[in-house]
Amino acid sequence: MKSKLSLLLILSITFIAFTVVGTLSHEYGHILVAKYFGYETKLHYGSMNYEDNSSELKLADSLVKKNEKAILSKKHFPDKKKLDKLWNTINFKHLIITVGGPVQTILTGTIGFILLLFRRKKILENGMKILDWLYVFLSLFWLREVCNLTMSVASAILKGKKNYFGGDEKNIALMLEIPKGSIAIPLAIIGLGIALFVIFKIIPKEQRLLFISSGILGGITGFILWLRILGPIVMP
């Protein structure tokens, strides 16, 4: 009984820690791309922002000011092709920055899952080792896609809104001019499939209930502690 309680406590604390790690590493996915493009960035507890001081934006702004009357009256002007090309470049960079966060999360989750698949036979024979637990938590980065969709749908239902999608996945879909759920739904399905496989095919049966319980306890606690209490103080 003591060992089970110890495992529950350890796993719960790990879930809390990985809630913070997962959130910040996701934002660093955005930041790395933004810095690659030369933008100034700032990290917050649950988000990031960047300032576009690129030469493309400055030139686009100058062309807009120069041709403001023609643009407002929707008339053709000599710089239109040049301005359109600049906006395409700027919008593409902003799209890639938005993609950077989900890609980081998905890549981390996929690496963890692949490592677990390689370790599966050993786990079935010898049980879970410390590294195996690490791979489990890395693979569950995929749960972000499930949680995001679940929370956005639940929020929409509770508030009586018709917009069931949110976050980066919705923004990427809007930038690509495709239906809002085109990215969120498939990623959530994949994430749920990976999570279920890890829980029911990787984690030993005798530790499964403890793991699920610690996930609920630690996940909710981590969310409240970091995103509602500590995060806004430590990294406003």
Side-chain angles (χ1 to χ4, degrees):
M1 178 62 114
K2 187 177 179 181
S3 61
K4 286 186 176 181
L5 287 175
S6 299
L7 181 60
L8 177 65
L9 179 62
I10 291 169
L11 290 176
S12 297
I13 292 172
T14 307
F15 266 108
I16 294 172
F18 267 81
T19 300
V20 180
V21 171
T23 300
L24 295 182
S25 62
H26 174 88
E27 298 308 326
Y28 266 109
H30 296 300
I31 287 174
L32 288 174
V33 180
K35 285 189 175 295
Y36 173 80
F37 289 133
Y39 298 166
E40 294 180 10
T41 65
K42 187 170 183 180
L43 176 65
H44 304 285
Y45 67 94
S47 64
M48 61 80 67
N49 53 40
Y50 61 92
E51 188 173 349
D52 187 347
N53 292 318
S54 64
S55 57
E56 290 96 347
L57 184 60
K58 291 176 182 177
L59 181 55
D61 285 342
S62 67
L63 290 176
V64 168
K65 290 177 182 178
K66 178 183 174 183
N67 301 281
E68 187 174 1
K69 289 183 179 179
I71 294 171
L72 290 174
S73 59
K74 297 182 180 180
K75 292 181 180 179
H76 180 78
F77 53 94
D79 294 319
K80 188 175 187 310
K81 284 187 177 180
K82 186 175 183 179
L83 183 59
D84 288 344
K85 187 176 180 181
L86 283 168
W87 282 128
N88 286 337
T89 300
I90 293 165
N91 290 334
F92 176 75
K93 288 183 177 180
H94 292 182
L95 169 63
I96 299 303
I97 291 171
T98 307
V99 168
V103 165
Q104 184 281 330
T105 302
I106 289 169
L107 184 60
T108 301
T110 302
I111 290 171
F113 184 62
I114 290 172
L115 290 171
L116 273 180
L117 291 180
F118 279 114
R119 287 282 304 164
R120 188 184 179 196
K121 187 177 179 181
K122 293 284 185 182
I123 292 171
L124 292 173
E125 292 175 354
N126 306 313
M128 298 285 290
K129 306 299 180 184
I130 293 177
L131 270 179
D132 298 324
W133 285 115
L134 174 62
Y135 300 154
V136 164
F137 280 97
L138 291 178
S139 70
L140 293 184
F141 269 48
W142 267 101
L143 274 180
R144 177 189 176 277
E145 302 300 331
V146 181
C147 292
N148 275 9
L149 181 59
T150 303
M151 290 177 68
S152 62
V153 170
S155 177
I157 293 172
L158 290 173
K159 294 178 181 179
K161 296 181 179 180
K162 294 183 179 180
N163 181 17
Y164 296 105
F165 307 101
D168 295 327
E169 291 75 15
K170 183 198 77 172
N171 293 333
I172 293 167
L174 290 174
M175 291 178 184
L176 294 174
E177 298 182 348
I178 58 177
K180 294 177 184 178
S182 299
I183 295 172
I185 293 174
L187 290 180
I189 291 171
I190 295 170
L192 180 61
I194 287 176
L196 291 175
F197 186 90
V198 169
I199 293 170
F200 292 101
K201 296 295 183 181
I202 300 290
I203 295 175
K205 187 176 181 181
E206 61 271 15
Q207 296 172 326
R208 200 171 292 155
L209 182 58
L210 274 176
F211 183 78
I212 294 171
S213 301
S214 66
I216 296 171
L217 177 62
I220 293 174
T221 303
F223 179 86
I224 295 171
L225 275 179
W226 182 248
L227 294 172
R228 294 292 182 266
I229 301 174
L230 294 178
I233 298 172
V234 177
M235 300 179 70

